[in-house]
Structures are given as C-alpha cells and as structure tokens.
Amino acid sequence: MRVFIAGIDGYLGWSLAQYLAIRGHDVGGVDGYQRREWVAEMGGQSATPILGMQDRQQAYEDLFDTQLWFREGDLTDWRFVSEVITEFKPDAIVHLGECPSAPYSMIDLNHTVLVQQNNIVGTLNILHAMRDITPDAHLVKLGTMGEYGTPNVDIPEGFFEIEYNGRTDLMPFPRQAGSWYHWSKVHDSNNVMFACNMWGLRSTDIMQGVVFGTRFDDVEDDRMITRVDFDQAFGTIINRFCCQAIINHPLTTYGHGGQKRSFIPLKDSMQCMTLVIENPPDKAEYRVFNQFQGVFTVGELAEKVRSVASNIGIDANIVNLENPRIESEDHYYNPAHQALFDLGYEPTEDIDSEIKIMLQDLLKYSDRIESKKDVLIPDVRWNGSRQKAQRIASA
Ligand code: USQ
C-alpha cells in the first residue's frame, strides 16, 4: 500500500515510517520540522539524539533497501498539500502532522491561535486535497482520548445511542476537552466527519491515549531512533518520569495524582495504526476507534516507574507539585476499546518491561537530559499565568 505520513519527522511519524517499511508498505511523507522548533522554544531537546531528515532518509535506504519519499513543507499551505498529494498518490494518508501539546496551547493567545490554526487548517487542506485528488484514499486521522474529557459515564467509541423525547438516534458522544489543543482535535473530528458525509470520503479517527516508549521493534541501528521529549509541553507523563528517574530528579506528579488517563506503548500504537491502515473503512464511512492499552492514575504510574527503576538500581523519588492544569483529580473514567481488538490488536501486557526497556535506552543519554533539566518543572498554568509549580508533599 502507498502510505503518506503527514508529520513523518515526529515521535510517531518516524516510528511508523519504519514499522510500515518492515511490513512491505511503500512510505512517503512530509514535515515542516515545527516540532523541533517548538521543543527548542520550550527550552528542551529530544533525550535521544535524532538525525536530520537527509541522514534519516539515507539510513532508511541502507536498512530497508528502499527510498523514503519526502518533501519539506507546511500543511497549512494549500498549494504544498495539493502538490504532494498529487505527486505521491496515496492509498492511505496518516495525519500525524499537528501540534500535540496541551500546555503549549495554554501559554497565551498567540499559542492558542497557532495550535488551533495549525491543526484545523492542516486537516482542512488534507480533506480538500482528498476530495479533489484522491477521493478513494483512507484518512487515518490522529485524534486523542482527551477529546472526551472525563465524563461521569462510560465512554463509547465515538458514537452512542441516545433516546430523547421518545425517539432514538446514534449520535457523536459529547466531547469535553481540557485544553485548547484537545479542542483543536475535537474541531478536527467534526470536520472529518462532515467531509465523509458530504463528499463520501473514508476515515478512521483514532482517539489515542498517552503514548510512551523509546522503541517499537528491535531496530538496533542508532540512526533510526525516534525523538523522546521530556519538557513540560512536549514530554508526556511516562516519558517524562523515565527521563527524570535517569537523572535522579523527583518524578513530578501533578496534584494528588488521582487523574486517570489511558495509555499505550509506542509499539502498540504502531501495531494499531497498521491494523487500521490495512483494514480501511467503506467509502463515506467515518469510524472512531479508541486506541489504548490500559487505564492508570498518574500516581500509579509514578509508583510503577519508581519500582521498575529501583529494580535496575536507580533510586527515584516522587514529588507532588501544585497542579498547573485545571483538571479533575478524582473522577470516574471507563472508556471502551473493542474495535481494535476486533481487528486483531494484541496488546503488550507487561507494561513494566516496556518501562524497563525505556529506562535502559535512556541511560545512554542522561547527559542530554541533565543539560536541559530546567524544563522538568512546569510553569505554564491553565489560568494563563507563568509560574513554576511548587512542591505540595513528598512520597
Ligand atoms: N502529568 C503529571 N506530571 C507530569 C506530566 C503530566 O502528573 O510531569 C499529568 C497531567 O496533569 C495529566 C496527565 O499527567 O493529568 C497526562 O498529561 P500528559 O502531559 O502526559 O498528556 P496530555 O497533556 O493529556 O497530552 C498527551 C499528548 C497529546 C495526546 C494526549 C492523549 O501530549 O498529544 O493527545 O496525551 S490523552 O491524554 O488521552 O488526551
């Protein structure tokens, strides 16, 4: 299959390009390197030393004996998007080319607008290019479990049957996102659903949980390593905890740590996206899959990382910081995730082993984390102020 990856230089995009090549797909992609710039703006860097795209292409060719088609450009530029879709003619378009950070979107008005504009306009350009150029292609759109928020009822996969005033209908489940970034994904979902209904496009909207991990397979060539961020905006919780443990920095639990979220190892994310690509929906079908392995509280994860780290001789402490976000720390959370199992998803059961692999991988790069450790304590607050979070208790 010809698979086009928007955002191929990112954490997921670079991993997926390899995962698909190993499985015999013909991969191409685009990127404007915004992620590299945003992380630098936050004072961070990838814990893993990643190569530039030209070197990545060379390594890809050496390893997989096939060329990686790549164009540099911005998805908010219609001319660029229409040209690359015309040139590559994909069977599937995997859209990972968005700004993925809740804290980044909460910094100030400029960042809110940047994130929503980048994400929503990029998606609209892809939808129009599909209508005009590749109407039979399958859009695999990366959404987020955070679109649903934390409602006090079970969360279905996208749609639920509702009875109101004696009549019933299948309707989109209400979205209650918790940041301007998460709302940008909700707006995308609405736009993608509308395009499928209006223009007969086909799409899978993936509501993905928080991803963690340094690797997806045993690719031993260091040139193929993907980025792993640990700053407050682009580092996600388990990756941050592991980077913190490596340099003996306390694991930063926000608030009392009762927040529940869904999580998925990087290698499961690759497996699931590939299942989605290889099993496209019908024409005009818009389907929603919840993509995660399991649900944990933030506090449970801190304990998990501390215990796995201690098994390999790393002493990690946990600290509770004032929560810079406005979010519930004690809530019901029960999302469904059956659709991917129906397609054959085999989840990684042993999360502790994944955390151990990550810690061992990161040990090699402790200097890179140490040199940017100032970015580990958050200061972007959901109320618009910018002030380092203070410690509230130690465990
Ligand atoms: N948290 C901590 N300590 C930290 C970092 C985070 O306690 O050092 C807490 C946060 O307060 C939050 C939870 O961990 O309750 C998750 O935060 P996160 O930064 O790992 O993830 P989030 O902001 O929700 O966003 C991430 C990705 C985003 C993706 C989303 C999936 O950045 O692109 O959409 O995970 S989900 O969370 O399901 O919405």
Side-chain angles (χ1 to χ4, degrees):
M1 223 181 245
R2 288 180 71 72
V3 185
F4 177 95
I5 303 176
I8 198 167
D9 188 49
Y11 176 52
L12 300 177
W14 182 237
S15 305
L16 187 64
Q18 298 172 55
Y19 195 90
L20 291 172
I22 292 167
R23 282 148 191 85
H25 293 287
D26 217 346
V27 182
V30 296
D31 208 295
Y33 307 127
Q34 290 93 333
R35 170 64 170 265
R36 294 181 186 234
E37 287 163 20
W38 295 327
V39 170
E41 179 192 335
M42 295 309 293
Q45 66 176 1
S46 168
T48 49
I50 54 169
L51 298 180
M53 187 45 89
Q54 269 193 354
D55 293 328
R56 283 184 153 183
Q57 280 176 286
Q58 185 59 54
Y60 192 95
E61 201 176 324
D62 295 346
L63 213 67
F64 305 123
D65 208 17
T66 180
Q67 288 202 338
L68 179 65
W69 185 97
F70 174 76
R71 300 285 180 272
E72 180 185 345
D74 189 333
L75 294 169
T76 64
D77 173 356
W78 162 249
R79 192 205 281 240
F80 172 72
V81 174
S82 60
E83 280 173 6
V84 292
I85 299 294
T86 302
E87 194 183 332
F88 189 75
K89 295 222 171 8
D91 300 308
I93 297 174
V94 187
H95 185 13
L96 309 173
E98 298 203 333
C99 178
S101 169
Y104 191 76
S105 74
M106 299 299 288
I107 293 176
D108 58 18
L109 172 65
N110 287 341
H111 289 82
T112 301
V113 172
L114 184 156
V115 171
Q116 292 223 348
Q117 198 159 308
N118 181 75
N119 295 358
I120 296 166
V121 174
T123 298
L124 287 172
N125 281 340
I126 288 175
L127 290 170
H128 277 259
M130 288 178 71
R131 184 196 67 178
D132 295 352
I133 306 157
T134 54
D136 288 327
H138 170 201
L139 174 63
V140 180
K141 170 69 177 62
L142 191 71
T144 166
M145 283 300 293
E147 292 186 33
Y148 299 118
T150 53
N152 200 29
V153 294
D154 294 350
I155 298 172
E157 298 195 74
F159 292 86
F160 74 142
E161 199 171 84
I162 182 161
E163 188 190 322
Y164 182 61
N165 285 350
R167 300 181 64 82
T168 58
D169 201 354
L170 190 68
M171 301 190 87
F173 187 74
R175 304 307 208 255
Q176 302 186 78
S179 74
W180 294 119
Y181 151 70
H182 286 96
W183 278 110
S184 76
K185 295 281 193 182
V186 177
H187 304 323
D188 278 343
S189 286
N190 289 330
N191 292 342
V192 173
M193 180 170 65
F194 179 71
C196 290
N197 289 339
M198 285 306 107
W199 300 335
L201 302 182
R202 67 182 96 218
S203 177
T204 310
D205 203 354
I206 296 177
M207 302 296 116
Q208 183 163 254
V210 187
V211 185
F212 64 96
T214 38
R215 55 173 69 224
F216 60 87
D217 251 349
D218 293 325
V219 176
E220 289 303 340
D221 190 326
D222 277 350
R223 295 177 300 170
M224 304 314 280
I225 201 157
T226 194
R227 64 177 311 121
V228 176
D229 291 301
F230 56 91
D231 64 276
Q232 62 168 323
F234 293 92
T236 49
I237 182 165
I238 306 184
N239 291 357
R240 273 169 58 80
F241 283 172
C242 288
C243 289
Q244 290 167 341
I246 294 296
I247 62 161
N248 300 114
H249 186 285
L251 314 187
T252 53
T253 302
Y254 296 169
H256 295 287
Q259 308 90 308
K260 291 195 190 96
R261 295 289 183 274
S262 36
F263 293 88
I264 184 164
L266 180 61
K267 69 176 187 192
D268 287 26
S269 169
M270 297 301 112
Q271 185 198 147
C272 289
M273 280 199 265
T274 304
L275 282 170
V276 169
I277 293 164
E278 291 174 351
N279 295 278
D282 291 337
K283 234 181 137 34
E285 185 180 349
Y286 168 76
R287 62 183 186 183
V288 179
F289 289 176
N290 294 349
Q291 181 165 303
F292 62 91
Q293 184 270 356
V295 170
F296 301 95
T297 67
V298 160
E300 284 166 350
L301 291 174
E303 283 301 340
K304 242 181 201 315
V305 173
R306 168 156 75 175
S307 123
V308 177
S310 109
N311 288 340
I312 58 170
I314 300 170
D315 238 356
N317 296 314
I318 299 170
V319 70
N320 290 82
L321 299 180
E322 323 164 61
N323 196 336
R325 306 184 181 199
I326 298 172
E327 61 184 358
S328 177
E329 292 177 21
D330 180 19
H331 57 91
Y332 183 77
Y333 190 64
N334 186 28
H337 61 153
Q338 188 53 43
L340 280 158
F341 288 98
D342 293 345
L343 287 184
Y345 169 39
E346 290 174 8
T348 298
E349 297 294 351
D350 188 357
I351 294 300
D352 288 9
S353 296
E354 283 307 300
I355 291 175
K356 184 172 163 194
I357 292 169
M358 191 178 356
L359 288 167
Q360 283 165 335
D361 277 344
L362 289 168
L363 269 173
K364 282 195 267 178
Y365 310 119
S366 58
D367 287 355
R368 292 178 61 85
I369 304 168
E370 184 73 45
S371 72
K372 299 280 182 188
K373 68 176 177 201
D374 282 356
V375 303
L376 291 171
I377 302 291
D379 67 356
V380 174
R381 297 190 179 219
W382 261 224
N383 66 8
S385 68
R386 199 104 191 236
Q387 215 185 340
K388 291 249 183 221
Q390 301 297 311
R391 180 181 288 245
I392 49 178
S394 294

Coordinates of all heavy atoms in Angstrom, one line a residue, residues 38 41-42 99 101-117 179-181 232-233 379-386:
W38 N 9.3 23.9 18.1 CA 8.5 24.1 19.4 C 9.2 23.6 20.6 O 9.2 24.2 21.7 CB 7.2 23.5 19.2 CG 6.3 24.0 18.1 CD1 6.2 25.3 17.7 CD2 5.3 23.3 17.3 NE1 5.3 25.5 16.7 CE2 4.7 24.2 16.4 CE3 4.9 22.0 17.2 CZ2 3.8 23.9 15.5 CZ3 4.0 21.6 16.3 CH2 3.4 22.6 15.4
E41 N 11.8 26.0 21.5 CA 11.2 27.2 22.1 C 10.9 27.0 23.6 O 11.0 27.9 24.4 CB 9.9 27.5 21.3 CG 9.2 28.8 21.9 CD 7.8 28.9 21.3 OE1 7.5 28.4 20.2 OE2 6.9 29.5 22.0
M42 N 10.5 25.7 23.9 CA 10.3 25.4 25.4 C 11.5 25.2 26.2 O 11.5 24.8 27.3 CB 9.3 24.2 25.5 CG 7.9 24.4 24.9 SD 7.1 25.9 25.4 CE 6.8 25.5 27.1
C99 N 0.2 20.0 16.1 CA 0.9 20.4 17.3 C 0.2 19.6 18.4 O -1.0 19.7 18.6 CB 0.8 21.8 17.6 SG 1.6 22.2 19.2
S101 N 0.5 19.5 21.8 CA 0.8 19.8 23.2 C -0.3 20.6 23.9 O -0.6 21.8 23.4 CB 2.1 20.5 23.3 OG 2.2 21.1 24.6
A102 N -0.9 20.1 24.9 CA -1.9 20.9 25.7 C -1.2 22.1 26.4 O -1.7 23.2 26.2 CB -2.6 20.0 26.7
P103 N -0.1 21.9 27.1 CA 0.5 23.1 27.8 C 0.9 24.2 26.8 O 0.7 25.4 27.0 CB 1.7 22.5 28.5 CG 1.4 21.1 28.7 CD 0.6 20.7 27.5
Y104 N 1.4 23.8 25.6 CA 1.9 24.8 24.6 C 0.7 25.6 24.2 O 0.8 26.8 24.0 CB 2.5 24.0 23.4 CG 3.2 24.9 22.4 CD1 4.5 25.4 22.7 CD2 2.6 25.3 21.2 CE1 5.2 26.2 21.9 CE2 3.3 26.1 20.3 CZ 4.6 26.6 20.6 OH 5.2 27.4 19.8
S105 N -0.5 25.0 24.0 CA -1.7 25.7 23.6 C -2.2 26.6 24.6 O -3.1 27.5 24.3 CB -2.8 24.7 23.1 OG -3.4 24.1 24.3
M106 N -1.8 26.4 25.9 CA -2.4 27.2 27.0 C -1.5 28.4 27.4 O -1.8 29.1 28.4 CB -2.6 26.3 28.2 CG -3.6 25.1 28.0 SD -5.3 25.6 27.6 CE -5.9 26.3 29.1
I107 N -0.4 28.6 26.7 CA 0.6 29.6 27.1 C 0.0 31.0 27.1 O 0.0 31.8 28.0 CB 1.9 29.5 26.3 CG1 2.7 28.3 26.6 CG2 2.8 30.8 26.5 CD1 3.9 28.0 25.7
D108 N -0.5 31.3 25.9 CA -1.2 32.7 25.7 C -2.0 32.6 24.4 O -2.0 31.6 23.7 CB -0.1 33.8 25.7 CG 1.0 33.6 24.6 OD1 0.7 32.8 23.7 OD2 2.0 34.2 24.7
L109 N -2.5 33.8 24.1 CA -3.4 33.8 22.9 C -2.6 33.4 21.6 O -3.2 32.6 20.8 CB -3.9 35.3 22.7 CG -4.7 35.5 21.4 CD1 -6.0 34.7 21.3 CD2 -5.0 37.0 21.3
N110 N -1.4 33.9 21.5 CA -0.7 33.5 20.3 C -0.5 32.0 20.1 O -0.6 31.5 19.0 CB 0.7 34.1 20.3 CG 0.7 35.6 20.1 OD1 -0.3 36.1 19.6 ND2 1.8 36.3 20.5
H111 N -0.2 31.4 21.2 CA 0.0 29.9 21.2 C -1.3 29.2 21.0 O -1.4 28.2 20.2 CB 0.7 29.4 22.4 CG 2.2 29.8 22.4 ND1 2.5 31.1 22.9 CD2 3.3 29.2 22.0 CE1 3.9 31.2 22.7 NE2 4.3 30.0 22.2
T112 N -2.4 29.7 21.6 CA -3.7 29.1 21.3 C -4.1 29.1 19.8 O -4.5 28.1 19.2 CB -4.8 29.8 22.1 OG1 -4.5 29.8 23.5 CG2 -6.2 29.2 21.9
V113 N -3.9 30.3 19.3 CA -4.2 30.5 17.9 C -3.3 29.7 17.0 O -3.8 29.0 16.0 CB -4.2 32.0 17.5 CG1 -4.3 32.2 16.0 CG2 -5.2 32.8 18.2
L114 N -2.0 29.7 17.3 CA -1.1 28.9 16.5 C -1.5 27.4 16.5 O -1.6 26.8 15.4 CB 0.3 29.0 17.1 CG 1.5 28.4 16.3 CD1 2.8 29.1 16.7 CD2 1.6 26.9 16.6
V115 N -1.8 26.9 17.6 CA -2.1 25.4 17.7 C -3.4 25.1 16.9 O -3.5 24.2 16.1 CB -2.2 24.9 19.2 CG1 -2.8 23.5 19.2 CG2 -0.9 25.0 19.8
Q116 N -4.5 25.9 17.2 CA -5.7 25.6 16.5 C -5.6 25.9 15.0 O -6.1 25.1 14.2 CB -6.9 26.5 17.2 CG -7.1 26.0 18.6 CD -8.6 25.9 18.9 OE1 -9.5 26.4 18.2 NE2 -8.9 25.3 20.1
Q117 N -5.0 26.9 14.6 CA -4.8 27.2 13.2 C -4.0 26.1 12.5 O -4.4 25.6 11.5 CB -4.1 28.6 13.0 CG -4.3 29.2 11.7 CD -4.0 30.7 11.8 OE1 -4.6 31.4 12.6 NE2 -3.1 31.2 11.0
S179 N -8.2 21.3 27.1 CA -7.2 22.3 26.7 C -7.5 22.8 25.3 O -8.2 22.2 24.6 CB -5.7 21.8 26.7 OG -5.5 20.9 25.6
W180 N -6.9 24.0 24.9 CA -7.2 24.5 23.6 C -6.7 23.5 22.5 O -7.2 23.3 21.5 CB -6.5 25.8 23.3 CG -7.0 26.9 24.2 CD1 -6.4 27.7 25.1 CD2 -8.4 27.5 24.1 NE1 -7.2 28.6 25.6 CE2 -8.4 28.5 25.0 CE3 -9.5 27.2 23.4 CZ2 -9.6 29.3 25.2 CZ3 -10.7 27.9 23.6 CH2 -10.7 28.9 24.5
Y181 N -5.6 22.8 22.9 CA -5.0 21.7 22.0 C -6.1 20.6 21.8 O -6.4 20.2 20.7 CB -3.7 21.2 22.5 CG -3.6 19.7 22.1 CD1 -3.3 19.4 20.8 CD2 -3.7 18.7 23.0 CE1 -3.2 18.1 20.3 CE2 -3.6 17.3 22.6 CZ -3.4 17.1 21.3 OH -3.3 15.8 20.8
Q232 N 8.1 20.2 29.7 CA 6.7 20.3 30.3 C 5.6 20.3 29.2 O 4.5 19.9 29.5 CB 6.5 21.5 31.1 CG 6.7 22.8 30.3 CD 6.3 24.1 31.1 OE1 5.3 24.0 31.8 NE2 7.0 25.1 31.0
A233 N 6.0 20.7 28.0 CA 4.9 20.8 27.0 C 4.9 19.6 26.0 O 3.8 19.2 25.6 CB 5.1 22.1 26.2
D379 N 5.8 25.4 34.4 CA 5.4 26.7 34.8 C 4.2 27.3 34.0 O 3.7 28.3 34.3 CB 6.6 27.7 34.7 CG 7.1 28.0 33.3 OD1 6.5 27.4 32.4 OD2 8.0 28.9 33.1
V380 N 3.8 26.6 32.9 CA 2.6 27.0 32.2 C 1.4 26.6 32.9 O 1.2 25.4 33.2 CB 2.6 26.3 30.8 CG1 1.3 26.7 30.0 CG2 3.8 26.7 30.0
R381 N 0.6 27.6 33.3 CA -0.6 27.3 34.1 C -1.8 27.5 33.3 O -1.9 28.4 32.5 CB -0.6 28.1 35.4 CG 0.6 27.8 36.3 CD 0.5 28.5 37.6 NE 1.7 28.1 38.4 CZ 1.6 27.8 39.7 NH1 0.5 27.9 40.4 NH2 2.7 27.5 40.3
W382 N -2.8 26.7 33.6 CA -4.1 26.8 32.8 C -4.8 28.1 33.0 O -5.7 28.5 32.3 CB -5.0 25.6 33.2 CG -5.0 24.4 32.2 CD1 -6.1 23.8 31.8 CD2 -3.9 23.8 31.6 NE1 -5.7 22.7 31.0 CE2 -4.4 22.7 30.8 CE3 -2.5 24.0 31.6 CZ2 -3.6 21.9 30.1 CZ3 -1.7 23.1 30.9 CH2 -2.2 22.1 30.1
N383 N -4.5 28.9 34.1 CA -5.2 30.1 34.3 C -4.5 31.3 33.6 O -4.9 32.4 33.8 CB -5.3 30.5 35.8 CG -3.9 30.7 36.5 OD1 -2.9 30.8 35.8 ND2 -3.8 30.8 37.8
G384 N -3.4 31.0 32.8 CA -2.8 32.0 32.0 C -1.5 32.6 32.6 O -0.8 33.3 31.9
S385 N -1.3 32.3 33.9 CA 0.0 32.8 34.5 C 1.1 31.9 34.2 O 0.9 30.7 33.7 CB -0.2 33.0 36.0 OG -0.3 31.8 36.6
R386 N 2.3 32.3 34.4 CA 3.5 31.5 34.2 C 4.3 31.5 35.4 O 5.0 32.5 35.8 CB 4.3 32.2 33.0 CG 5.2 31.3 32.3 CD 4.8 30.8 31.0 NE 5.7 29.7 30.6 CZ 6.3 29.7 29.4 NH1 6.1 30.7 28.6 NH2 7.2 28.7 29.1

